[in-house]
Amino acid sequence: MTTFRWYVLGLLALFGAYVALEYYRPKPLDWSPTYINKDKIPYGTFVLFDQLPRLLGTDSVATVRQSAYVQLTGPGAGRHRGGGALC
């Protein structure tokens, strides 16, 4: 083989190795703060939600889709009632 063919063959091998390395590279971690109980990413709370019944000593944990303020103070609390000042 001529030198040119060895050069082309070397470049093809190098390119193939690069493509293989990029293909098998591990996925980068998703560090977005979602705090969703089904997310298994670092800021997801899957493990905490899974272990809460054991930690609290209950059979299950209820999921509430309200803000903490509304959940703790009840419905209607925090609404402005009359007057000129805003709450």
Side-chain angles (χ1 to χ4, degrees):
M1 290 189 142
T2 63
T3 306
F4 179 72
R5 288 185 183 172
W6 282 108
Y7 180 71
V8 171
L9 187 60
L11 282 177
L12 286 175
L14 189 63
F15 179 73
Y18 174 74
V19 169
L21 285 173
E22 288 295 320
Y23 182 75
Y24 291 110
R25 175 187 287 184
K27 292 181 183 178
L29 287 177
D30 181 11
W31 289 95
S32 57
T34 62
Y35 305 110
I36 297 174
N37 60 356
K38 295 179 183 175
D39 280 345
K40 294 182 180 179
I41 62 175
Y43 281 122
T45 57
F46 177 80
V47 175
L48 176 65
F49 190 76
D50 186 50
Q51 293 298 316
L52 268 178
R54 185 183 66 80
L55 293 171
L56 298 175
T58 61
D59 293 333
S60 65
V61 176
T63 303
V64 177
R65 299 289 179 206
Q66 294 179 343
S67 68
Y69 180 79
V70 171
Q71 180 66 25
L72 294 174
T73 59
R79 292 186 186 161
H80 177 64
R81 298 183 184 167
L86 295 176
C87 295

